[in-house]
Amino acid sequence: MTTGVIPGGQPPEPQPTGERMPQQRREPDGPAALPSDDRPRSSVITARAAASFEPVGRSVATARSFVRDTLQGWGFADIVDDAVVLTSELVTNAVVHAGTHAEVLCLRTEDGVRIEVSDRYPEREVPLQSSAVAMGSPDREGGRGLQLCAALATRWGVDYTPTHKNVWFQLNLPARAVGTRAAGPALPADLLPLADGRVRVAVLQVDRKGTVSAWNEDAEELFGFPAAEVVGKPLTELAAWPHTPGTGTGIAEAFQLSRWEGTYGIRGADGRVVQVYASHLRVRDTGGEPSTVCLLVRDHERAVLQTPSRVPATDQTSSGDGQNTDPFEVFIGSPAPDDLDGLLQRTVERARDMLDGDSAFLLLATDDETELEVRASTGLPSARQRFARVPVDAGPGRYGSARMPAVHDDLAAVPGAVPLLAGTGMRSVVTVPLKVEGRLTGSLGVAAEAPGRYTNEEALRLQFAADRIALAVESARLGELERLRRGSLSFLVEASDLLAGTLDRDQTLALMAQMTVPTLATWCAVYTIADQASEPYLSYVLHEDEELIDGIKSLLSKVSPPDPVPTPGARVWTIPGEVAHQAALRSSMRSLGLAGGSTQFSSAIGPTLATASAVGGETVVLPLVARNRVIGMLTLGKPTDEHFRQEILELAEDLSRRAALALDNARLYSERTAISQALQRSLLPPGLPHIDNVEVEVIYRAAGEGNEVGGDFYDLFPIGNGAYGFAIGDVCGTGPNAAAVTGLARHALRLLAREGLSGPAVLERLNSAILDEGDRSRFLTLLYGELRPQEDGSAELKVVCAGHPLPLRLRQDGTVVAAAEPQPLLGVMEDLELYEETVTLDPGDVLLCVTDGVTERREGTRMLGDDGLADVLTTCTGLTAGAVAARIMRAVERFASDAPSDDMAILTMRVPEIQQEA
């Protein structure tokens, strides 16, 4: 919110912020027509105040406070309530229903005030035709603003521009008789108070020690004592106390109060007690000595002295229609707000009005009554120290007068007595406790800018009001706590579900931040710690305004991270706010040319000031502890002058424990995944060698999420003398156990083939190695061969197919035939008799080798099979090796809609056609 006050002067016709185009004005007629007023439309404007409010719900309360403070300062208390009601409705329309900024302009004139509320949603809600205005039902949530203007305002209207809608209303001060403070109705003579003949008013004066210093003639007549016998004696010798029923004040204490009224008895000269009604007024003579002037009349003539009560004198009073009125409703008003914040705000506003103060505040006690938390204020800076806490009994900045009523004549003489008012300009304050069944539940205070404004009388009045609202406030607070606890449980359940749904470290960090902003804090930062020897690292920053994220990230990267203390709970971290404030101050000085720099406005001052405001409130750090180790810190922050509620900090602590475990699980998963992927990659060939006059392509897909290698494998490697070994195999099963046999087979093939052994000899030794694994052994199907490119452009292959799907040969004419005969698989029998077969690939021929994951691809009861694979291969004539492999894989994927449940490997080799010379 931005405000400005310009005293005096007569500005032009008031306009909202921004340059306005010619206005289109419409004043309703019909049922809601404006009252006639012969006064000129333009009056002399003696003062003006303006404020702008953001499109958020809390701006409505802030706007009410702004208007109330402004009008109270101008001395317009008679029209404050109507102005606040109208402003509240119009600002609600702008910031809540229209969702735009609202500008409020208050103009003081000689006879009243004009208030304008402008928004940026120029929709016409008042008909332009000369017809009856349908304002809508008063029971609806919206649409009441113009109704209320018609009902309460002296004049009102709506101005339109292409970009703004401006609703204004004018309230004139009511005519008041000069000198009138209070007046009662005219009564018939038979209803007037009864007096026995002449009404005698005894006037006596009591000095600071309680002795009588003056005694008038009426006192002599009432009580029978001449002045000479009484003057110089203590009045307590004559007073027949008990005091007025319902109070705990003794007569000596009553003489110390600034004002006191009540009933007691005076013993007359004849020994009888005369019941009197007394009014005491404490005064001070020219020498500064205090004394008390006492006016006394017979009790049945009390109407002569009794002051009309401004607050109820008993728990229940009787209304004019004979029905009982609840004193709570008398103080708060009807209907009472049904939410805690509304009740507290109404309380401080009524308390301030009751004592004619400049500000008021209310604090609620924690469950253990050791701290007070600021929950509502009026007349103080907007949202000042909201939810800030101060100790009750001990410690620096303690709230020393929380448990008993207290009056401070001058806070300048007692600095720190009321920490909330530090730096606000308030000088005098009266505070009273809120108690329920003897337990401290809060504190209510009213303050004024002038010293010595309040006395014990105001403290008694405020305590009376506090006693009436304490139970309602405590009930509303308990209801809010119950709703907050239920909401906290739902929040934690949802947070746990989200955190459990991912094992990705970066996503976990993002979730942590997104769950805290803006639900728990305005901004947050997550620090992570890799190991015990590492420094905290700033891993993630988030603010509810994305434009401020870079500024906060830059700020935090320049300051030392918080210490990784494993102690549970939130601890305050002041460094970001201090550094941001210093940076903003330096930027401001440079922009003004006060630091040796240019006098030109620095473009960086805007972001610097915005960052300082964003981190200027309370910042707390919560440790992220998992498995007895601090793995990071969660930092939460508020903007300037805002504090965290204790309930929010407790909820954040619960969230940090869950987030820490989720983050540690993500870290462990990432580490194990990295290890698994490194081991799996070691089982795959580093790359395919280039073979002259032979095209080679491989497609490999391992089944299972996160698996790069399974039970299927392939290899192509040089043997020597222009020969190359190739293999494609399938270990029984999938996953890590099958991958272990895969590594054994692939590395054994390379070693044995390079020893110069033939294909059958290589596979027989591999079979023995697999059987040596014992219980860990798995049977293995394997197609192994040796490839030798020929000078005539063909390629000779010697292959052994040990239980593996047969390789298929595609000729140039489109025919497909098997290129080998089936032989026993490996890993089952010790004695194998294997043989190799020779195949010659002519130019244009393709050899296709696959694992059973391809041929056994299923869709319900259908299976692709060898025949289906051959049918697909017949369509690949003339394609390159890569194109053939890709077409086979597409056909396999389209054959069934489900994800593959088995590993798949495709190896294609093609001998290119011989290019004819031109």
Side-chain angles (χ1 to χ4, degrees), residues 385-404:
Q385 298 183 8
R386 182 165 169 81
F387 299 121
R389 292 193 166 206
V390 291
V392 174
D393 295 316
R398 69 186 183 90
Y399 200 117
S401 55
R403 298 187 184 277
M404 294 292 292

Side-chain angles (χ1 to χ4, degrees), residues 39 43-44 76 79 108-113 170-174:
R39 282 177 291 182
S43 300
V44 176
F76 288 176
I79 58 175
R108 183 180 69 184
T109 63
E110 299 167 342
D111 52 2
V113 65
Q170 180 175 327
L171 295 172
N172 291 339
L173 293 173

Side-chain angles (χ1 to χ4, degrees), residues 241-596:
W241 213 255
H243 45 75
T244 302
T247 69
T249 307
I251 189 169
E253 295 171 329
F255 290 151
Q256 301 301 316
L257 298 177
S258 61
R259 292 189 65 89
W260 188 90
E261 289 184 18
T263 302
Y264 54 88
I266 295 291
R267 294 185 181 89
D270 57 2
R272 296 181 179 180
V273 175
V274 180
Q275 294 291 330
V276 297
Y277 186 84
S279 176
H280 299 175
L281 176 65
R282 193 165 172 80
V283 297
R284 185 177 54 181
D285 62 19
T286 56
E289 287 296 318
S291 61
T292 301
V293 176
C294 304
L295 306 181
L296 298 89
V297 296
R298 293 183 177 91
D299 187 55
H300 64 274
E301 298 172 344
R302 65 169 59 194
V304 176
L305 300 180
Q306 190 172 29
T307 300
S309 299
R310 286 174 287 184
V311 295
T314 59
D315 287 344
Q316 290 188 343
T317 59
S318 178
S319 61
D321 56 3
Q323 297 179 349
N324 289 334
T325 302
D326 184 0
F328 168 76
E329 295 290 346
V330 173
F331 177 71
I332 291 296
S334 181
D338 56 0
D339 64 300
L340 178 61
D341 288 338
L343 176 61
L344 299 183
Q345 192 63 35
R346 180 83 65 87
T347 298
V348 296
E349 291 173 358
R350 293 301 172 89
R352 185 183 68 170
D353 295 344
M354 183 179 72
L355 298 188
D356 193 24
D358 297 313
S359 65
F361 52 90
L362 191 148
L363 302 90
L364 293 184
T366 55
D367 291 338
D368 56 4
E369 302 179 22
T370 60
E371 291 182 305
L372 291 170
E373 184 179 66
V374 181
R375 290 300 303 270
S377 64
T378 181
L380 297 176
S382 177
R384 176 179 174 83
Q385 298 183 8
R386 182 165 169 81
F387 299 121
R389 292 193 166 206
V390 291
V392 174
D393 295 316
R398 69 186 183 90
Y399 200 117
S401 55
R403 298 187 184 277
M404 294 292 292
V407 177
H408 297 280
D409 290 331
D410 192 351
L411 290 177
V414 192
V418 184
L420 176 64
L421 301 180
T424 62
M426 299 298 161
R427 296 286 297 276
S428 56
V429 61
V430 52
T431 61
V432 297
L434 276 68
K435 293 185 177 182
V436 175
E437 296 180 353
R439 184 173 61 86
L440 178 68
T441 61
S443 179
L444 176 63
V446 178
E449 295 179 354
R453 280 279 299 274
Y454 301 113
T455 63
N456 290 346
E457 180 195 13
E458 281 79 8
L460 290 175
R461 292 179 60 200
L462 190 61
Q463 183 66 71
F464 185 90
D467 292 341
R468 294 306 184 269
I469 66 169
L471 186 59
V473 169
E474 180 68 2
S475 177
R477 186 183 74 89
L478 293 177
E480 181 194 62
L481 286 177
E482 181 62 24
R483 290 191 296 271
L484 182 61
R485 284 168 183 151
R486 288 199 300 266
S488 300
L489 290 176
S490 300
F491 173 78
L492 291 174
V493 168
E494 183 179 358
S496 299
D497 289 343
L498 290 173
L499 292 171
T502 179
L503 287 173
D504 182 82
R505 176 183 176 277
D506 294 337
Q507 189 174 1
T508 302
L509 290 172
L511 283 174
M512 291 171 57
Q514 292 166 7
M515 285 185 293
T516 57
V517 176
T519 305
L520 305 181
T522 306
W523 65 272
C524 86
V526 183
Y527 290 85
T528 56
I529 303 175
D531 51 56
Q532 299 288 352
S534 301
E535 291 293 325
Y537 174 75
L538 182 61
S539 299
Y540 203 93
V541 175
L542 184 65
H543 191 282
E544 61 182 6
D545 184 353
E546 294 182 356
E547 296 181 357
L548 298 177
I549 294 177
D550 292 338
I552 297 177
K553 187 182 297 183
S554 175
L555 171 69
L556 295 178
S557 63
K558 296 176 182 178
V559 302
S560 300
D563 296 330
V565 179
T567 305
R571 52 192 173 93
V572 177
W573 188 32
T574 60
I575 294 179
E578 295 171 354
V579 173
H581 176 74
Q582 294 172 2
L585 181 60
R586 289 194 298 269
S587 296
S588 301
M589 294 178 66
R590 284 196 299 268
S591 69
L592 298 174
L594 300 178

Side-chain angles (χ1 to χ4, degrees), residues 559-767:
V559 302
S560 300
D563 296 330
V565 179
T567 305
R571 52 192 173 93
V572 177
W573 188 32
T574 60
I575 294 179
E578 295 171 354
V579 173
H581 176 74
Q582 294 172 2
L585 181 60
R586 289 194 298 269
S587 296
S588 301
M589 294 178 66
R590 284 196 299 268
S591 69
L592 298 174
L594 300 178
S598 172
T599 58
Q600 298 295 325
F601 184 85
S602 173
S603 61
I605 187 173
T608 303
L609 293 175
T611 302
S613 176
V615 302
E618 188 175 34
T619 301
V620 297
V621 178
L622 297 104
L624 298 174
V625 181
R627 298 176 176 89
N628 299 322
R629 187 174 73 86
V630 180
I631 63 171
M633 283 88 69
L634 178 63
T635 303
L636 306 179
K638 288 279 191 179
T640 301
D641 285 339
E642 290 197 21
H643 292 251
F644 287 98
R645 297 183 59 179
Q646 184 63 25
E647 294 84 359
I648 296 298
L649 293 179
E650 293 172 357
L651 181 58
E653 185 177 356
D654 286 339
L655 176 63
S656 67
R657 287 194 292 267
R658 289 165 170 78
L661 188 58
L663 183 61
D664 200 44
N665 288 339
R667 177 187 63 82
L668 294 174
Y669 177 78
S670 299
E671 291 178 356
R672 281 153 178 73
T673 300
I675 294 172
S676 175
Q677 290 175 346
L679 293 175
Q680 291 183 63
R681 293 190 188 103
S682 69
L683 303 178
L684 295 173
L688 297 178
H690 174 73
I691 304 176
D692 295 336
N693 297 326
V694 177
E695 298 175 2
V696 180
E697 183 66 27
V698 174
I699 296 179
Y700 183 82
R701 301 283 174 84
E705 183 179 358
N707 291 332
E708 296 188 22
V709 178
D712 290 6
F713 69 95
Y714 68 92
D715 203 357
L716 179 65
F717 54 91
I719 297 176
N721 298 325
Y724 294 85
F726 67 91
I728 183 169
D730 183 2
V731 179
C732 174
T734 60
N737 293 330
V741 179
T742 296
L744 171 65
R746 195 178 71 80
H747 292 293
L749 284 175
R750 288 200 173 206
L751 291 174
L752 295 173
R754 287 171 176 171
E755 290 295 325
L757 300 177
S758 63
V762 169
L763 268 59
E764 289 170 2
R765 285 168 173 74
L766 175 58
N767 181 64

Side-chain angles (χ1 to χ4, degrees), residues 24-280:
Q24 189 173 20
R25 176 169 296 171
R26 173 68 179 174
E27 298 186 1
D29 50 13
L34 301 177
S36 61
D37 194 341
D38 296 334
R39 282 177 291 182
R41 292 298 302 269
S42 298
S43 300
V44 176
I45 297 174
T46 58
R48 61 184 294 172
S52 178
F53 302 93
E54 298 179 353
V56 293
R58 61 177 179 268
S59 293
V60 179
T62 309
R64 289 198 298 263
S65 299
F66 165 70
V67 172
R68 183 179 293 277
D69 293 344
T70 301
L71 269 59
Q72 290 280 11
W74 289 348
F76 288 176
D78 293 331
I79 58 175
V80 164
D81 290 337
D82 288 348
V84 168
V85 169
L86 295 178
T87 303
S88 178
E89 288 293 331
L90 298 180
V91 173
T92 300
N93 291 340
V95 304
V96 176
H97 300 304
T100 75
H101 282 71
E103 287 87 23
V104 178
L105 176 65
C106 300
L107 301 174
R108 183 180 69 184
T109 63
E110 299 167 342
D111 52 2
V113 65
R114 173 182 169 123
I115 297 179
E116 300 183 0
V117 178
S118 177
D119 64 52
R120 302 172 187 176
Y121 188 71
E123 178 180 342
R124 304 182 184 276
E125 298 195 3
V126 177
L128 294 180
Q129 301 301 328
S130 228
S131 59
V133 180
M135 293 293 186
S137 169
D139 295 329
R140 293 192 301 117
E141 178 182 358
R144 297 190 300 256
L146 301 184
Q147 265 187 315
L148 290 173
C149 287
L152 301 179
T154 307
R155 306 177 66 90
W156 69 278
V158 184
D159 302 333
Y160 296 104
T161 71
T163 59
H164 287 74
K165 180 178 68 182
N166 184 33
V167 182
W168 60 269
F169 61 88
Q170 180 175 327
L171 295 172
N172 291 339
L173 293 173
R176 291 178 291 183
V178 176
T180 300
R181 289 191 57 193
L187 295 176
D190 57 347
L191 297 181
L192 296 177
L194 182 63
D196 296 335
R198 176 188 171 190
V199 176
R200 297 188 180 274
V201 180
V203 181
L204 52 138
Q205 194 162 358
V206 181
D207 62 17
R208 66 187 307 169
K209 297 180 181 180
T211 59
V212 178
S213 59
W215 187 269
N216 73 341
E217 294 180 0
D218 281 357
E220 294 181 3
E221 292 293 332
L222 282 175
F223 308 121
F225 292 107
E229 294 183 15
V230 178
V231 173
K233 294 182 179 180
L235 183 62
T236 53
E237 294 183 0
L238 301 178
W241 213 255
H243 45 75
T244 302
T247 69
T249 307
I251 189 169
E253 295 171 329
F255 290 151
Q256 301 301 316
L257 298 177
S258 61
R259 292 189 65 89
W260 188 90
E261 289 184 18
T263 302
Y264 54 88
I266 295 291
R267 294 185 181 89
D270 57 2
R272 296 181 179 180
V273 175
V274 180
Q275 294 291 330
V276 297
Y277 186 84
S279 176
H280 299 175

